Amino acid sequence: QVQLVESGGGSVQPGGSLRLSCAASGRIFSINFMGWYRQAPGKQRELVATITSGGSTHYADSVKGRFAISRDNTKNTVYLQMNSLKPEDTAVYYCNAEIDSNLLGFLNYWGQGTQVTVSS
């Protein structure tokens, strides 16, 4: 059974930084896309950033230049470095990954979410 476990959330003042981590565990043959989404209260879940197995990245316009996504394929882990945080970045952040666990194709998996709060 595949699991995604996030860590690194918390509270920070505007302008501060946080680093999120998400480790995939279980029976894993291959991981395609990995990424981060977020959901603020009363809003729909939105894409933050994604990264392919080859390292190509994509960012939402709202975080470009402030956030950086990276991954360590040897550890099945994806990271999100968040700098210059703003109050509007406050949300629950979810890890997402496309994982092949049985050589029958890729399925989409989600982590449990980690809270990020930006407030003075």
Side-chain angles (χ1 to χ4, degrees):
Q1 186 172 352
V2 173
Q3 284 189 318
L4 299 179
V5 179
E6 299 126 335
S7 61
S11 296
V12 65
Q13 292 185 340
S17 298
L18 284 174
R19 188 190 194 212
L20 306 182
S21 300
C22 172
S25 63
R27 188 180 185 187
I28 297 172
F29 287 101
S30 180
I31 302 178
N32 192 11
F33 284 90
M34 301 187 83
W36 293 93
Y37 289 71
R38 67 186 181 186
Q39 188 166 18
K43 295 187 177 181
Q44 289 187 331
R45 190 173 299 189
E46 63 176 3
L47 171 72
V48 176
T50 61
I51 184 168
T52 69
S53 57
S56 296
T57 59
H58 172 77
Y59 295 94
D61 288 342
S62 59
V63 306
K64 280 181 182 177
R66 301 187 299 122
F67 291 10
I69 189 170
S70 61
R71 65 190 279 176
D72 184 337
N73 291 330
T74 65
K75 297 180 179 179
N76 292 333
T77 299
V78 63
Y79 306 95
L80 186 68
Q81 178 66 45
M82 304 185 293
N83 299 324
S84 302
L85 282 161
K86 305 175 181 180
E88 51 263 44
D89 295 317
T90 296
V92 177
Y93 284 69
Y94 296 92
C95 176
N96 175 262
E98 294 182 348
I99 298 174
D100 183 356
S101 63
N102 55 14
L103 296 177
L104 294 179
F106 289 93
L107 295 179
N108 207 34
Y109 293 87
W110 292 92
Q112 80 284 359
T114 185
Q115 178 70 45
V116 171
T117 302
V118 185
S119 174
S120 56

